């Protein structure tokens, strides 16, 4: 394979995937529900050598890109017997890497932050009314217009890893 040929996928040698997921739901009042979930994931390369101009470069110990170490989700949900409903969701996602190198590749002068998807907090709100034959709702996703990447493409060509999420999304 020539150096000018593009690689879209590369097989990593070995990884270690350790994690924990916790979820708690409660109904403190017949009309009110609360959900809390937390995910911890520590996914690392244990043996992964990539070819560079200077020979093989070992990435063992680096985090697998595209996977946040921490994710916290909380939802408060209200349902009134007369048909009024409201949902408030909080999602906190920790930072994560966009490439296998967890920063610039060898001999690159690019800042390490160019390869890191920052942590973010997103809040969504939904209001609804379902009364007799009348049904309507209003949803505002990303209520406070948090700036974050809704998706990353790990190891993307040309360092085009990050795809920004929209500011507010209003649904009726």
């Amino acid at each position: 394979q020539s150096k000018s040929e593009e690689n879209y996928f590369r097989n990593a040698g070995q990884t270690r995937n350790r994690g924990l997921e916790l979820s708690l739901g409660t109904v403190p009042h017949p009309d009110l529900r609360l959900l809390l979930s937390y995910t911890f994931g520590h996914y690392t390369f244990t043996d992964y050598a990539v070819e560079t101009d200077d020979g093989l470069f070992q990435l063992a110990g680096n985090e697998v890109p595209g996977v946040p170490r921490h994710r916290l989700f909380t939802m408060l949900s209200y349902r009134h017997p007369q048909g009024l409903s409201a949902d408030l969701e909080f999602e906190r996602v920790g930072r994560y890497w966009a490439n296998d190198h967890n920063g610039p590749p060898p001999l690159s002068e690019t800042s390490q932050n160019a390869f890191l998807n920052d942590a973010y907090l997103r809040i969504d709100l939904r209001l609804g009314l379902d009364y007799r034959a009348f049904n309507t709702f209003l949803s505002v996703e990303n209520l406070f217009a948090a700036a974050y990447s809704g998706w990353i493409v790990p190891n993307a060509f040309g360092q085009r890893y990050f795809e920004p999420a929209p500011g507010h999304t209003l649904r009726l």
Side-chain angles (χ1 to χ4, degrees):
Q1 178 178 14
S2 70
K3 297 245 185 224
S4 63
E5 200 172 314
E6 293 180 23
N7 287 322
Y8 292 98
F9 298 97
R10 217 180 1 221
N11 289 327
Q14 295 179 354
T15 60
R16 174 178 289 142
N17 302 317
R18 294 182 177 176
L20 172 72
E21 292 186 43
L22 302 170
S23 179
L24 174 67
T26 186
V27 181
H29 183 274
D31 301 338
L32 196 61
R33 287 178 171 65
L34 177 65
L35 173 68
L36 174 68
S37 68
Y38 171 74
T39 303
F40 168 79
H42 191 222
Y43 310 111
T44 57
F45 297 118
T46 56
D47 180 23
Y48 181 21
V50 295
E51 189 175 333
T52 67
D53 292 338
D54 294 332
L56 289 179
F57 187 81
Q58 183 57 253
L59 297 174
N62 285 4
E63 294 179 25
V64 174
V67 185
R69 188 177 282 199
H70 303 279
R71 181 180 179 270
L72 178 66
F73 176 81
T74 302
M75 182 175 73
L76 183 61
S77 181
Y78 174 77
R79 300 286 180 268
H80 190 274
Q82 295 296 323
L84 180 65
S85 65
D87 295 312
L88 186 61
E89 295 180 355
F90 297 84
E91 180 184 41
R92 171 75 162 95
V93 176
R95 64 110 182 126
Y96 55 94
W97 294 105
N99 70 347
D100 293 344
H101 289 279
N102 292 175
L107 306 176
S108 173
E109 295 182 18
T110 306
S111 165
Q112 190 165 2
N113 288 337
F115 304 90
L116 189 62
N117 192 49
D118 293 328
Y120 64 88
L121 172 65
R122 193 185 85 200
I123 300 173
D124 298 340
L125 174 66
R126 280 186 302 277
L127 302 172
L129 181 59
D130 188 0
Y131 185 72
R132 296 185 182 172
F134 182 74
N135 186 343
T136 188
F137 75 94
L138 168 70
S139 173
V140 182
E141 297 171 6
N142 197 7
L143 185 64
F144 297 107
Y148 71 100
S149 294
W151 183 262
I152 71 155
V153 180
N155 302 307
F157 177 76
Q159 298 177 6
R160 289 178 252 166
Y161 311 114
F162 307 104
E163 296 184 16
H168 300 292
T169 301
L170 182 64
R171 298 182 194 276
L172 298 171

